[in-house]
Amino acid sequence: MSGSRRGLVAPQNTFLENIIRRCNGQHSSFLLANARIVDYPIVYCNDGFSKLSGFSRAEAMQRSCTCNFMYSDQTDPESIQRINKSLESCEPDQQEILLLKKNKTPLWLLMYIAPIKNEKDVVILYLITFRDITALKQPYEEEEAKAAQTAVGLSKFARLARSVTRNRSVMVPMANVPPGGRMDDS
């Protein structure tokens, strides 16, 4: 009997499988957490999260989805409060947060918390996706030294990219203007 499943398939397992299948193609790094248990334990962590954080799937499982095991002294307490508030109120939230990889390397992440509801409209899971934005931030040591001088945490490359993006919207309408700079109605 090749290709058949043995035993009964529990509805909650197929629900999880569907979420994982859908998210694997869209998000390179994510966690699923149980919304019904205190501290919201991680019930699934994909390979992308393991590679990003340095923690194996086994090390991440059953820890809190707040990722408090990755906090450092420099993790913003306001960000931590926002994460906890989002989880407690079952509301989606997105924010930047500084965490530490397993090897203690600083990691800036864009963290998005999305509550997942069952057919009874009850939040039962959280999908937490992560996007590495470390390249858009200044190195962690430099940021501390320059914090008094500037509130901007973007590197020179990120500033250039932002400038190009802004200027592109100005340049696109100009692309239709002929070389002489005049538009003819003929």
Side-chain angles (χ1 to χ4, degrees):
M1 270 193 215
S2 63
S4 66
R5 291 187 173 185
R6 299 173 82 179
L8 297 174
V9 179
Q12 65 269 22
N13 291 345
T14 56
F15 183 68
L16 281 174
E17 287 173 4
N18 286 336
I19 292 169
I20 292 166
R21 193 176 318 110
R22 287 180 184 169
C23 294
N24 264 333
Q26 297 173 1
H27 307 287
S28 59
S29 179
F30 71 92
L31 302 172
L32 281 174
N34 189 329
R36 309 296 290 164
I37 298 177
V38 177
D39 289 335
Y40 317 104
I42 296 168
V43 295
Y44 180 81
C45 127
N46 78 338
D47 291 335
F49 180 80
S50 293
K51 289 175 187 171
L52 183 68
S53 68
F55 289 91
S56 70
R57 186 173 286 162
E59 290 171 318
M61 296 290 283
Q62 298 303 314
R63 291 190 182 199
S64 175
C65 72
T66 61
C67 294
N68 56 5
F69 57 98
M70 296 174 67
Y71 291 169
S72 74
D73 294 339
Q74 285 72 35
T75 302
D76 182 27
E78 230 175 85
S79 296
I80 295 169
Q81 283 180 329
R82 251 180 85 181
I83 290 169
N84 290 329
K85 183 179 177 191
S86 173
L87 294 169
E88 289 169 11
S89 64
C90 299
E91 294 293 323
D93 192 20
Q94 177 176 309
Q95 64 182 324
E96 296 177 1
I97 188 164
L98 176 66
L99 299 175
L100 294 180
K101 292 183 178 185
K102 185 177 180 181
N103 66 6
K104 303 300 181 200
T105 305
L107 180 66
W108 277 100
L109 295 172
L110 182 62
M111 181 180 194
Y112 181 72
I113 301 170
I116 299 174
K117 296 179 179 182
N118 65 5
E119 66 280 353
K120 296 176 183 170
D121 208 32
V122 175
V123 175
I124 56 167
L125 292 171
Y126 287 108
L127 171 65
I128 297 125
T129 59
F130 300 90
R131 179 153 297 151
D132 186 357
I133 57 170
T134 305
L136 301 175
K137 295 288 195 171
Q138 285 183 358
Y140 160 91
E141 295 83 21
E142 287 180 29
E143 188 170 319
E144 275 187 0
K146 293 181 181 180
Q149 297 173 1
T150 179
V152 179
L154 297 175
S155 66
K156 290 179 184 176
F157 175 76
R159 286 187 200 124
L160 176 63
R162 186 174 55 187
S163 170
V164 168
T165 306
R166 283 184 187 154
N167 292 337
R168 180 186 288 185
S169 61
V170 173
M171 294 168 55
V172 170
M174 301 288 287
N176 297 328
V177 177
R182 290 187 296 206
M183 302 276 294
D184 293 327
D185 290 337
S186 54

